[in-house]
Amino acid sequence: MIYPILDLKNLPKCIQTEYFRILLLKAAKNGEPIYQNEFNRINNLPCVRESKGKVTLREYWDFFACGNEDKIRPAVKYNVLAMIHCKDFSKGYLTYECPNCHNMVNIGLSCNSRFCVSCGNRYREQRALSISKKVISKPHRQFVFSIAKQLRKYFAETLDRDALLDILFSSVEFAFESENRQFGYMLFLHTYGRDIKWNPHIHSLICEGYFDKYNKYHKYEYFPYIKLRKSFMFELHKSMKKYIKYYKSKYEYSKFCKLIKWIEKKYPQGYYAYSPKINKKYDHHLSVKQLTNYIARYASHPAIAESRILELDLSNHMVKYYYDPHEDDVLDEDDPNRLGRQYVYESVFKFMKKLVRHIPNKGFHNIRYYGFYSKRSTIDTSSIHPLYSTCELKKIKQNINWNKKMKLTYGYEPLLCSCGKRMEICYNLCFFPPPKGPKQLSIDDFDEEGNLYA
């Protein structure tokens, strides 16, 4: 039997207000923390957020897709529709019941899409945990490999997208491997800048040391920037020319070769490569942890944070958002050359086009491991202490828990009842979607958050 779900969104405003008032009065009897938890829960309900002007762009998807059916990649359709139906009760839910007052709450099943704000946040935390498990307790450095602005459009074409992005990865690998040392490094693909325009570039986290053939670790801090930049650019151009010659017309190949000649004259020292050293004034162990944590989350976060979207003008179908230019990061606050915070006011459909182009195709890996961090490596790194202890990793994993994340992000615990008791899952009242294959889904296939196990 499927129990009916109370749809607060469609209730009259006066009934909504009275219902919320009763919930708050009940919670107030059990102390200030319980009242605050219930207050934050109510203020984060979709119907309350919409009444405050927190309208999403979901309403525009059908109009956007209608005129671009032949141009939208399958991965884009899947991820956007999954996000729209995330936590949708018609797609399944888990039911929790309070053992004291028998109050019930239903938690919709997650979509597990990286494009989704909530599920993407969990993915980001999980990737950071996965990377933290691999990193050894030695100094690391971050590199950023960028490409010429004139080449970006080639990586955006639907048919060539994955192949050329693979070439971008392999070109960075070539640059590091040209040093003839067995480094350990990770590469993170980033396809956008702060202004969310298409700008594919690679962030790398590389250990300042290598292992020799006897499995002995050697410290190595010197990285020849000019050589790395030139090697990266040379390999990228060579591989791209080979690809375009094979898959494109003679005219396109000839045009590309002329562009490459012009670019190589413009960048005689190779493409820009950013690589700051860790400040020796501070504990390098702590700094490596901060760097690892930063780059792992930076490479996995969505193209734009929800907080940067300032306004959605429904009458004119315009959206307003802001970004802080990278150029200002190295300038003082009073520097006259600072650009300052930039505000963009543009069409909703143009904004959506910018966003969805950053969705990766199914099966494409934005994070890759090389050297002694690769799964294929035969080097034994057990002689070097890991960056995080087992206890620290366990604590990080516990903090990814859905209930804790809701508390940290929104200020309330979904499973804390207004009477003060914690709710427990009620297996008999959970609802699961019909199976898409031969296997029937059951409660054992989902974790306590409603996420489908891999």
Side-chain angles (χ1 to χ4, degrees), residues 131-162:
I131 291 165
S132 299
K133 288 179 180 178
K134 287 181 173 287
V135 179
I136 61 175
S137 182
K138 292 294 181 181
H140 283 65
R141 196 181 303 185
Q142 178 192 8
F143 277 84
V144 181
F145 290 90
S146 58
I147 62 174
K149 185 178 181 180
Q150 292 77 13
L151 293 181
R152 294 176 188 172
K153 62 180 181 180
Y154 291 93
F155 293 84
E157 294 179 10
T158 303
L159 296 177
D160 306 320
R161 179 187 176 107
D162 287 3

Short mmCIF file of all heavy atoms in Angstrom, two decimals, residues 131-162:
data_model
loop_
_atom_site.label_atom_id
_atom_site.label_comp_id
_atom_site.label_asym_id
_atom_site.label_seq_id
_atom_site.Cartn_x
_atom_site.Cartn_y
_atom_site.Cartn_z
N ILE A 131 40.77 10.85 -3.25
CA ILE A 131 42.09 11.41 -3.54
C ILE A 131 42.95 11.44 -2.28
O ILE A 131 44.14 11.11 -2.31
CB ILE A 131 41.94 12.82 -4.14
CG1 ILE A 131 41.33 12.72 -5.54
CG2 ILE A 131 43.29 13.54 -4.21
CD1 ILE A 131 40.81 14.01 -6.08
N SER A 132 42.32 11.78 -1.15
CA SER A 132 43.05 11.85 0.12
C SER A 132 43.63 10.50 0.52
O SER A 132 44.68 10.43 1.16
CB SER A 132 42.13 12.37 1.23
OG SER A 132 41.66 13.66 0.93
N LYS A 133 42.96 9.42 0.14
CA LYS A 133 43.44 8.08 0.47
C LYS A 133 44.73 7.74 -0.27
O LYS A 133 45.55 6.97 0.22
CB LYS A 133 42.38 7.04 0.11
CG LYS A 133 41.15 7.04 1.02
CD LYS A 133 40.16 5.99 0.56
CE LYS A 133 38.92 5.97 1.45
NZ LYS A 133 37.92 4.98 0.97
N LYS A 134 44.93 8.31 -1.45
CA LYS A 134 46.08 7.98 -2.28
C LYS A 134 47.32 8.81 -1.97
O LYS A 134 48.45 8.34 -2.13
CB LYS A 134 45.72 8.17 -3.76
CG LYS A 134 44.80 7.10 -4.33
CD LYS A 134 44.53 7.36 -5.80
CE LYS A 134 43.77 6.21 -6.43
NZ LYS A 134 44.61 5.02 -6.62
N VAL A 135 47.12 10.06 -1.55
CA VAL A 135 48.25 10.98 -1.40
C VAL A 135 49.19 10.57 -0.27
O VAL A 135 48.74 10.20 0.81
CB VAL A 135 47.73 12.42 -1.15
CG1 VAL A 135 48.89 13.39 -0.96
CG2 VAL A 135 46.87 12.87 -2.31
N ILE A 136 50.49 10.61 -0.54
CA ILE A 136 51.49 10.28 0.48
C ILE A 136 51.94 11.55 1.20
O ILE A 136 51.75 12.67 0.69
CB ILE A 136 52.72 9.57 -0.13
CG1 ILE A 136 53.42 10.46 -1.16
CG2 ILE A 136 52.32 8.24 -0.74
CD1 ILE A 136 54.71 9.87 -1.70
N SER A 137 52.52 11.39 2.36
CA SER A 137 52.89 12.53 3.21
C SER A 137 54.23 13.13 2.77
O SER A 137 55.23 13.06 3.49
CB SER A 137 52.97 12.08 4.66
OG SER A 137 53.29 13.16 5.50
N LYS A 138 54.24 13.69 1.59
CA LYS A 138 55.40 14.38 1.05
C LYS A 138 54.93 15.68 0.40
O LYS A 138 53.76 15.81 0.02
CB LYS A 138 56.11 13.51 0.00
CG LYS A 138 56.80 12.27 0.57
CD LYS A 138 57.97 12.65 1.49
CE LYS A 138 58.68 11.41 2.03
NZ LYS A 138 59.79 11.76 2.93
N PRO A 139 55.82 16.67 0.25
CA PRO A 139 55.41 17.93 -0.38
C PRO A 139 54.87 17.70 -1.80
O PRO A 139 55.38 16.87 -2.55
CB PRO A 139 56.70 18.75 -0.42
CG PRO A 139 57.52 18.20 0.69
CD PRO A 139 57.22 16.73 0.73
N HIS A 140 53.83 18.45 -2.14
CA HIS A 140 53.23 18.39 -3.46
C HIS A 140 53.13 19.80 -4.03
O HIS A 140 53.22 20.78 -3.30
CB HIS A 140 51.82 17.77 -3.40
CG HIS A 140 51.81 16.28 -3.25
ND1 HIS A 140 52.30 15.66 -2.12
CD2 HIS A 140 51.36 15.30 -4.07
CE1 HIS A 140 52.16 14.35 -2.25
NE2 HIS A 140 51.59 14.11 -3.43
N ARG A 141 52.96 19.85 -5.32
CA ARG A 141 52.82 21.15 -5.99
C ARG A 141 51.68 21.10 -6.99
O ARG A 141 51.41 20.05 -7.58
CB ARG A 141 54.12 21.53 -6.69
CG ARG A 141 54.19 23.02 -7.06
CD ARG A 141 55.48 23.36 -7.78
NE ARG A 141 56.65 23.00 -6.99
CZ ARG A 141 57.89 23.29 -7.37
NH1 ARG A 141 58.09 23.92 -8.53
NH2 ARG A 141 58.92 22.94 -6.64
N GLN A 142 51.06 22.24 -7.16
CA GLN A 142 49.97 22.33 -8.14
C GLN A 142 50.47 22.99 -9.42
O GLN A 142 51.16 24.01 -9.38
CB GLN A 142 48.81 23.16 -7.57
CG GLN A 142 47.66 23.33 -8.55
CD GLN A 142 46.66 24.38 -8.10
OE1 GLN A 142 46.88 25.10 -7.14
NE2 GLN A 142 45.56 24.49 -8.83
N PHE A 143 50.12 22.42 -10.57
CA PHE A 143 50.39 23.02 -11.87
C PHE A 143 49.04 23.27 -12.56
O PHE A 143 48.09 22.51 -12.36
CB PHE A 143 51.21 22.08 -12.77
CG PHE A 143 52.68 22.13 -12.54
CD1 PHE A 143 53.26 21.38 -11.53
CD2 PHE A 143 53.50 22.92 -13.34
CE1 PHE A 143 54.63 21.41 -11.31
CE2 PHE A 143 54.88 22.95 -13.13
CZ PHE A 143 55.43 22.20 -12.12
N VAL A 144 48.99 24.31 -13.35
CA VAL A 144 47.80 24.56 -14.18
C VAL A 144 48.28 24.72 -15.62
O VAL A 144 49.10 25.59 -15.91
CB VAL A 144 47.04 25.84 -13.74
CG1 VAL A 144 45.82 26.03 -14.62
CG2 VAL A 144 46.63 25.76 -12.28
N PHE A 145 47.80 23.86 -16.51
CA PHE A 145 48.16 23.91 -17.93
C PHE A 145 46.97 24.43 -18.72
O PHE A 145 45.91 23.81 -18.76
CB PHE A 145 48.54 22.52 -18.44
CG PHE A 145 49.84 22.00 -17.88
CD1 PHE A 145 49.85 21.28 -16.70
CD2 PHE A 145 51.04 22.25 -18.52
CE1 PHE A 145 51.04 20.80 -16.17
CE2 PHE A 145 52.24 21.78 -18.01
CZ PHE A 145 52.24 21.06 -16.82
N SER A 146 47.15 25.58 -19.37
CA SER A 146 46.08 26.18 -20.15
C SER A 146 46.42 26.12 -21.64
O SER A 146 47.54 25.77 -22.02
CB SER A 146 45.87 27.64 -19.73
OG SER A 146 47.07 28.38 -19.91
N ILE A 147 45.46 26.47 -22.47
CA ILE A 147 45.66 26.43 -23.92
C ILE A 147 45.30 27.79 -24.52
O ILE A 147 44.70 28.64 -23.84
CB ILE A 147 44.81 25.33 -24.59
CG1 ILE A 147 43.32 25.60 -24.36
CG2 ILE A 147 45.19 23.96 -24.05
CD1 ILE A 147 42.40 24.64 -25.10
N ALA A 148 45.66 27.98 -25.77
CA ALA A 148 45.35 29.24 -26.46
C ALA A 148 43.83 29.39 -26.60
O ALA A 148 43.11 28.41 -26.84
CB ALA A 148 46.01 29.27 -27.82
N LYS A 149 43.36 30.61 -26.48
CA LYS A 149 41.93 30.89 -26.59
C LYS A 149 41.37 30.43 -27.93
O LYS A 149 40.22 29.98 -28.03
CB LYS A 149 41.72 32.40 -26.41
CG LYS A 149 40.27 32.84 -26.39
CD LYS A 149 40.19 34.34 -26.15
CE LYS A 149 38.73 34.80 -26.11
NZ LYS A 149 38.64 36.27 -25.89
N GLN A 150 42.18 30.51 -28.98
CA GLN A 150 41.74 30.17 -30.33
C GLN A 150 41.48 28.66 -30.49
O GLN A 150 40.83 28.24 -31.45
CB GLN A 150 42.78 30.61 -31.36
CG GLN A 150 42.92 32.11 -31.51
CD GLN A 150 43.71 32.74 -30.37
OE1 GLN A 150 44.36 32.05 -29.58
NE2 GLN A 150 43.67 34.06 -30.27
N LEU A 151 42.01 27.83 -29.59
CA LEU A 151 41.84 26.37 -29.69
C LEU A 151 40.63 25.85 -28.92
O LEU A 151 40.24 24.70 -29.09
CB LEU A 151 43.09 25.66 -29.19
CG LEU A 151 44.38 25.82 -30.01
CD1 LEU A 151 45.50 25.01 -29.38
CD2 LEU A 151 44.16 25.38 -31.46
N ARG A 152 40.05 26.67 -28.06
CA ARG A 152 38.98 26.20 -27.17
C ARG A 152 37.78 25.64 -27.95
O ARG A 152 37.18 24.65 -27.53
CB ARG A 152 38.51 27.34 -26.26
CG ARG A 152 39.56 27.81 -25.28
CD ARG A 152 39.04 29.01 -24.49
NE ARG A 152 40.10 29.60 -23.66
CZ ARG A 152 39.95 30.74 -22.99
NH1 ARG A 152 38.81 31.40 -23.04
NH2 ARG A 152 40.95 31.20 -22.26
N LYS A 153 37.43 26.27 -29.06
CA LYS A 153 36.24 25.86 -29.80
C LYS A 153 36.35 24.42 -30.32
O LYS A 153 35.34 23.73 -30.46
CB LYS A 153 35.99 26.82 -30.96
CG LYS A 153 37.11 26.87 -31.99
CD LYS A 153 36.80 27.85 -33.11
CE LYS A 153 37.92 27.88 -34.15
NZ LYS A 153 37.62 28.82 -35.25
N TYR A 154 37.57 23.97 -30.61
CA TYR A 154 37.75 22.61 -31.11
C TYR A 154 37.35 21.57 -30.07
O TYR A 154 36.81 20.51 -30.40
CB TYR A 154 39.20 22.38 -31.54
CG TYR A 154 39.60 23.16 -32.78
CD1 TYR A 154 40.19 24.41 -32.67
CD2 TYR A 154 39.35 22.65 -34.05
CE1 TYR A 154 40.56 25.14 -33.79
CE2 TYR A 154 39.71 23.37 -35.18
CZ TYR A 154 40.30 24.61 -35.05
OH TYR A 154 40.66 25.33 -36.17
N PHE A 155 37.61 21.88 -28.79
CA PHE A 155 37.30 20.95 -27.71
C PHE A 155 35.81 20.94 -27.37
O PHE A 155 35.34 20.05 -26.67
CB PHE A 155 38.10 21.32 -26.45
CG PHE A 155 39.58 21.12 -26.61
CD1 PHE A 155 40.37 22.09 -27.18
CD2 PHE A 155 40.17 19.94 -26.17
CE1 PHE A 155 41.74 21.91 -27.32
CE2 PHE A 155 41.54 19.74 -26.31
CZ PHE A 155 42.32 20.74 -26.89
N ALA A 156 35.08 21.93 -27.84
CA ALA A 156 33.66 22.04 -27.51
C ALA A 156 32.76 21.30 -28.50
O ALA A 156 31.60 21.04 -28.19
CB ALA A 156 33.24 23.51 -27.46
N GLU A 157 33.28 20.95 -29.67
CA GLU A 157 32.46 20.28 -30.68
C GLU A 157 32.04 18.90 -30.19
O GLU A 157 32.86 18.12 -29.69
CB GLU A 157 33.23 20.17 -31.99
CG GLU A 157 33.51 21.54 -32.64
CD GLU A 157 34.29 21.42 -33.93
OE1 GLU A 157 34.44 20.28 -34.41
OE2 GLU A 157 34.73 22.45 -34.44
N THR A 158 30.76 18.60 -30.34
CA THR A 158 30.17 17.38 -29.77
C THR A 158 30.88 16.11 -30.20
O THR A 158 31.23 15.26 -29.37
CB THR A 158 28.68 17.29 -30.17
OG1 THR A 158 28.01 18.48 -29.72
CG2 THR A 158 28.04 16.07 -29.54
N LEU A 159 31.16 15.95 -31.49
CA LEU A 159 31.74 14.71 -32.00
C LEU A 159 33.19 14.53 -31.60
O LEU A 159 33.69 13.40 -31.48
CB LEU A 159 31.60 14.65 -33.53
CG LEU A 159 30.17 14.60 -34.07
CD1 LEU A 159 30.18 14.63 -35.59
CD2 LEU A 159 29.44 13.36 -33.58
N ASP A 160 33.91 15.64 -31.41
CA ASP A 160 35.34 15.57 -31.11
C ASP A 160 35.66 15.77 -29.63
O ASP A 160 36.82 15.66 -29.23
CB ASP A 160 36.09 16.63 -31.92
CG ASP A 160 35.79 16.53 -33.40
OD1 ASP A 160 35.71 15.39 -33.90
OD2 ASP A 160 35.62 17.57 -34.05
N ARG A 161 34.66 16.07 -28.84
CA ARG A 161 34.85 16.50 -27.46
C ARG A 161 35.73 15.54 -26.64
O ARG A 161 36.80 15.92 -26.14
CB ARG A 161 33.48 16.65 -26.79
CG ARG A 161 33.54 17.07 -25.32
CD ARG A 161 32.14 17.02 -24.73
NE ARG A 161 32.18 17.33 -23.31
CZ ARG A 161 31.75 18.46 -22.78
NH1 ARG A 161 31.27 19.41 -23.54
NH2 ARG A 161 31.79 18.67 -21.48
N ASP A 162 35.31 14.29 -26.51
CA ASP A 162 36.03 13.35 -25.64
C ASP A 162 37.43 13.02 -26.17
O ASP A 162 38.39 12.93 -25.40
CB ASP A 162 35.23 12.05 -25.50
CG ASP A 162 34.01 12.22 -24.60
OD1 ASP A 162 33.78 13.36 -24.15
OD2 ASP A 162 33.30 11.24 -24.35
#
